[in-house]
Amino acid sequence: MHNFTYYNPVKILFGAGSISKIKNQIPANSNVLFAYGGGSIKQNGVYEQAMAQLTECNVIEFAGIEANPDYDTLMKAVAICKEKKVDFILAVGGGSIIDGCKFIALATHYEGDPWEILTKPDHVATKAIPLGTILTLPATGSEMNCGAVISRRSLGTKLAFGNPLVYPVFSVLDPLTTLTLPTRQLQNGIVDPFIHVTEQYLTTDLNSEIQDGYAETVLRTLIKVGKDIVDGATDYDTRANWMWAATNALNGILGIGVDHDWAAHMIGHELTAETGLDHGQTLAIAAPQVWRYQRDAKHEKLVKFARNVWGLNNLDKNDLIDKAISLTEEFFHSLGVKTKLSDYGISVNKELFIANLFKYNPPLGENKAIDSEAMLEILYNMH
Ligand code: NZQ
Ligand code: ZN
């Protein structure tokens, strides 16, 4: 196991009715930017519940943050935060709203061009507006980490950043808020956390028993609840286990002291930028092909995955690996999620895709083994 420092300051308010606890978390008389998306929160009662908590604050609403939050939209919010002296941001929605608000929080106080937050990993930021979240879509883990992914449609890019200044102060996870999610978002909400775990688990075998066991538990939970969730199961425990699994998949805990991959994610972000496919959809296409390409480097972990997650035994190690990857694809298919670009009728220009992907990214994967040449083969297999 590698040395590590673990720090996660996010206060989690979990469970039915927990939105009612946020009044005490936001200083009275704050100028609060209340940020949300296209209006789902007005159809499921979350808007009213949240507003009822803000009676002692000066609320400034900012609606319309889109899925895959756009830089230009967020810069409008930055201007409002500066003008209205916003000193707290409440992000209400899915990962896109929370990510967008992390960027707004940092960009408002950034000295220099905020585009650097996304394009310069060594950018220096010293201050961010404190941020709280009410999560309505279990998927990204953004509610309990300090990362964000921002799209800039005018430039055709989608880029990630991370900064400890934007850990949420608190996040509310009320499983009942998920009951209005449409099937497509339920599908994304199973695939995305599944791949978050594999990006941190299917790498080098470092005898990290705690992290591996934790990762395997989250994966088995997602497999257990996945089909029921996509079929619209409404029972509280199923929703609660799903929501908590998705948060644990990317709150840092199962990734400490181990190697990380993230190649499927970087490929997925570029795919969303070029094709508009949802983040979860892109991962179901990219991840299995990354594993196949890297099967030698990931050999021991793929065998563990086969045995401890898929319960496979009595097979030669290579057969275990083949079977585990194909069972994962079958699991995605059982959720109604496709695993090839051609299933969506999409074909990307491979040379252009590779040029765009590596414009801001170094070679990908835990061993930096995915370069342009490797990517060509992976892309071919994704079609
Ligand atoms: O905008 P509204 O009307 O709220 O509708 C949203 C949106 O259309 C809807 N929705 C959310 N909660 C709902 C609901 N509809 C009905 N009932 C509810 N309770 O769902 C749609 C999609 O929302 P979005 O926030 O875009 O989805 P998700 O949470 O999957 O976030 C995706 C974004 O997060 C990034 C992705 O790249 C993508 O941009 N990621 C962020 C990460 C992070 N910060 O750690 C890691 C991830 O790997 C990921 O890259
Ligand atoms: Zn993801």
Side-chain angles (χ1 to χ4, degrees):
M1 202 189 307
H2 301 305
N3 292 359
F4 62 83
T5 302
Y6 182 60
Y7 169 75
N8 192 317
V10 183
K11 182 188 286 188
I12 295 293
L13 305 165
F14 190 95
S18 292
I19 296 173
S20 65
K21 294 180 183 159
I22 65 174
K23 191 172 199 161
N24 298 332
Q25 311 298 325
I26 303 174
N29 302 318
S30 295
N31 293 329
V32 178
L33 188 81
F34 183 105
Y36 56 101
S40 70
I41 63 163
K42 291 197 166 169
Q43 280 145 25
N44 56 14
V46 171
Y47 176 88
E48 288 77 10
Q49 289 180 62
M51 276 296 183
Q53 297 295 309
L54 300 174
T55 48
E56 290 172 18
C57 295
N58 172 30
V59 178
I60 302 132
E61 277 192 47
F62 188 80
I65 296 179
E66 52 284 269
N68 305 304
D70 193 77
Y71 186 85
D72 295 338
T73 304
L74 304 174
M75 287 306 292
K76 288 181 191 154
V78 168
I80 292 170
C81 287
K82 287 182 177 168
E83 187 200 326
K84 306 278 187 189
K85 301 200 173 355
V86 166
D87 43 26
F88 198 92
I89 299 177
L90 185 62
V92 190
S96 292
I97 310 305
I98 300 173
D99 283 9
C101 287
K102 288 174 177 174
F103 178 79
I104 296 165
L106 205 57
T108 298
H109 290 296
Y110 190 73
E111 289 173 14
D113 181 354
W115 183 231
E116 291 172 7
I117 295 170
L118 294 156
T119 53
K120 287 193 180 168
D122 58 348
H123 70 268
V124 179
T126 52
K127 191 178 170 193
I129 303 172
L131 164 84
T133 89
I134 299 174
L135 180 70
T136 63
L137 199 180
T140 65
S142 187
E143 67 279 7
M144 203 176 167
N145 67 41
C146 67
V149 192
I150 308 299
S151 297
R152 193 168 185 177
R153 288 167 178 76
S154 61
L155 301 181
T157 57
K158 181 172 181 178
L159 299 171
F161 77 91
N163 192 312
L165 291 170
V166 296
Y167 274 112
V169 178
F170 67 83
S171 285
V172 176
L173 280 64
D174 177 347
L176 300 179
T177 64
T178 71
L179 291 172
T180 49
L181 282 163
T183 304
R184 187 169 127 198
Q185 302 309 336
L186 298 171
Q187 293 166 327
N188 291 335
I190 300 295
V191 175
D192 192 20
F194 193 98
I195 304 302
H196 291 158
V197 178
T198 59
E199 299 274 28
Q200 303 165 85
Y201 166 69
L202 287 181
T203 57
T204 325
D205 190 3
L206 297 175
N207 294 316
S208 45
E209 299 292 343
I210 303 298
Q211 295 89 326
D212 293 358
Y214 206 127
E216 287 158 3
T217 299
V218 175
L219 291 174
R220 284 195 303 265
T221 302
L222 291 167
I223 291 167
K224 185 173 177 188
V225 302
K227 182 82 172 71
D228 288 345
I229 288 291
V230 168
D231 288 345
T234 55
D235 75 278
Y236 184 78
D237 286 346
T238 304
R239 295 271 166 171
N241 279 311
W242 169 42
M243 197 169 214
W244 190 226
T247 299
N248 278 274
L250 196 51
N251 66 3
I253 186 78
L254 55 81
I256 51 182
V258 298
D259 288 343
H260 289 207
D261 183 337
W262 298 113
H265 265 74
M266 296 306 121
I267 297 166
H269 293 163
E270 187 55 36
L271 261 185
T272 296
E274 294 200 13
T275 67
L277 285 177
D278 289 349
H279 176 63
Q281 295 170 333
T282 65
L283 300 175
I285 297 168
Q289 304 311 336
V290 169
W291 304 336
R292 288 196 172 98
Y293 184 83
Q294 291 273 77
R295 64 180 290 147
D296 290 342
K298 296 179 183 296
H299 184 91
E300 291 307 322
K301 279 306 198 56
L302 282 164
V303 170
K304 272 194 182 175
F305 179 55
R307 289 186 173 139
N308 300 343
V309 176
W310 288 112
L312 299 171
N313 275 309
N314 302 327
L315 286 172
D316 156 75
K317 281 187 173 180
N318 276 315
D319 292 341
L320 279 177
I321 292 173
D322 288 337
K323 185 77 182 151
I325 298 177
S326 58
L327 276 176
T328 306
E329 288 171 320
E330 283 168 31
F331 172 56
F332 294 158
H333 296 159
S334 77
L335 305 175
V337 179
K338 299 160 178 167
T339 51
K340 293 279 184 183
L341 282 167
S342 52
D343 296 334
Y344 290 96
I346 288 172
S347 172
V348 299
N349 179 319
K350 298 186 186 63
E351 284 70 29
L352 194 62
F353 184 94
I354 290 168
N356 288 339
L357 177 64
F358 291 113
K359 185 169 174 192
Y360 293 108
N361 289 309
L364 308 175
E366 66 273 29
N367 300 311
K368 307 273 170 257
I370 300 179
D371 56 11
S372 301
E373 198 183 329
M375 196 54 228
L376 195 59
E377 185 177 327
I378 291 168
L379 256 186
Y380 179 80
N381 292 326
M382 285 163 51
H383 275 78

